[in-house]
Amino acid sequence: MASDPGPAAVDLADLRDRLVAHPIYRIVDGPERVRRFMETHVFAVWDFMSLLKALQQRLTCTNVPWFPTADAEARRLINEVVLDEESDALPEGSYSSHFELYLGCMRQAGADTGPIERLLGDLQQGTPFAEALATCGCPPEAAEFVRRSFAVIESGSTPAIAAAFTYGREDVIPDMFTNLVATLAESDPDSWSSFRYYLDRHIEADGDHHGPICRRIVARLCGDDPAKWAEASAAARECLAARIALWDGIAAAFETPALAG
């Protein structure tokens, strides 16, 4: 198996520093702003699942008749991630995708799920993707983030999709918001306990399990090929830049009179 060159091959330090130091983490400082944050961020939770399924399609066989794919280890690794992300075991014994869990958190907290539910409903009815995204009522910064994610998917590059999924997604969010949400959950568990569970679950799953698995997948895909590593690095940087732009958009929205309080 190829070793994981990690930071030596995918240099993201500058963008990660900007992301970790972003003012959004001090701007989202109370329950109403957490709700507004969730209403935009849910679109990133959804297209995270789309990136995951695009990667699964490229590393496994999802067609009939079935044929074995070339890399059995990558096949196993991505299916482990899919199992958790698409059908995680919940404490009470039921199962849920992390996207559905996030929607439940929004409902418990009183956040508006209308735009994301309209997007999914329109897509399921056959509305073209661009039209559904433009008319669902999502914040413009969320729509732009989703467009940039789907551009990576539509590139057809497996190393790019894998790197965007691995290096460019949710790994900075739980650490940044857990303290705030823990405080909210202690003072108002009926509204915030599910979101606290969601964040804690991501810290556990992404840090201890999914992160190392996904880095192994990228390493297997890129091997010793500098061109593939360059492709992966460019996609990861684009995904982090898109996340910074999303945070910029949310922060700017909080400066408007309607959301300033």
Side-chain angles (χ1 to χ4, degrees), residues 7-251:
V10 181
D11 184 5
L12 307 172
D14 58 328
L15 290 171
R16 285 191 61 84
D17 287 348
R18 287 175 58 195
L19 197 54
V20 170
H22 199 283
I24 192 71
Y25 307 111
R26 57 179 168 76
I27 292 172
V28 180
D29 57 2
E32 185 58 28
R33 288 191 171 192
V34 176
R35 293 185 189 97
R36 301 289 81 78
F37 171 85
M38 295 172 81
E39 290 166 4
T40 300
H41 178 242
V42 66
F43 288 87
V45 178
W46 173 71
D47 75 5
F48 170 88
M49 296 299 299
S50 298
L51 276 169
L52 173 61
K53 298 304 286 188
L55 189 55
Q56 185 189 31
Q57 287 175 352
R58 285 159 175 78
L59 297 178
T60 71
C61 181
T62 58
N63 299 320
V64 177
W66 177 88
F67 299 97
T69 49
D71 191 330
E73 182 171 341
R75 188 192 315 154
R76 167 72 186 203
L77 293 172
I78 195 61
N79 281 334
E80 285 186 35
V81 178
V82 170
L83 177 65
D84 287 342
E85 294 288 350
E86 194 172 36
S87 51
D88 202 6
L90 301 183
E92 70 274 14
S94 62
Y95 300 91
S96 174
S97 70
H98 287 180
F99 170 74
E100 291 166 301
L101 180 59
Y102 197 93
L103 276 184
C105 297
M106 292 180 68
R107 294 184 185 113
Q108 184 192 44
D112 182 10
T113 62
I116 187 65
E117 291 180 314
R118 279 193 293 275
L119 174 63
L120 269 62
D122 288 348
L123 291 173
Q124 288 174 322
Q125 292 174 14
T127 303
F129 176 75
E131 179 183 341
L133 186 62
T135 59
C136 70
C138 71
E141 58 271 17
E144 178 60 19
F145 183 85
V146 170
R147 280 191 287 267
R148 291 171 76 167
S149 295
F150 272 77
V152 176
I153 294 172
E154 292 162 4
S155 74
S157 166
T158 305
I161 295 169
F165 182 81
T166 299
Y167 297 106
R169 300 306 297 197
E170 324 288 28
D171 59 336
V172 300
I173 294 171
D175 291 328
M176 297 296 179
F177 284 109
T178 294
N179 290 338
L180 170 61
V181 175
T183 301
L184 292 174
E186 288 166 5
S187 63
D188 185 5
D190 290 340
S191 296
W192 299 103
S193 58
S194 291
F195 195 31
R196 181 177 186 178
Y197 172 79
Y198 172 89
L199 293 173
D200 288 343
R201 181 68 181 125
H202 266 279
I203 291 173
E204 176 187 353
D206 292 349
D208 298 339
H209 188 50
H210 293 176
I213 280 178
C214 291
R215 287 191 292 274
R216 284 170 64 188
I217 291 173
V218 173
R220 293 186 70 84
L221 290 172
C222 295
D224 298 321
D225 187 332
K228 289 181 178 179
W229 278 112
E231 209 173 344
S233 181
R237 291 185 64 81
E238 162 61 20
C239 200
L240 284 177
R243 173 75 63 177
I244 292 168
L246 179 66
W247 278 189
D248 288 345
I250 297 173

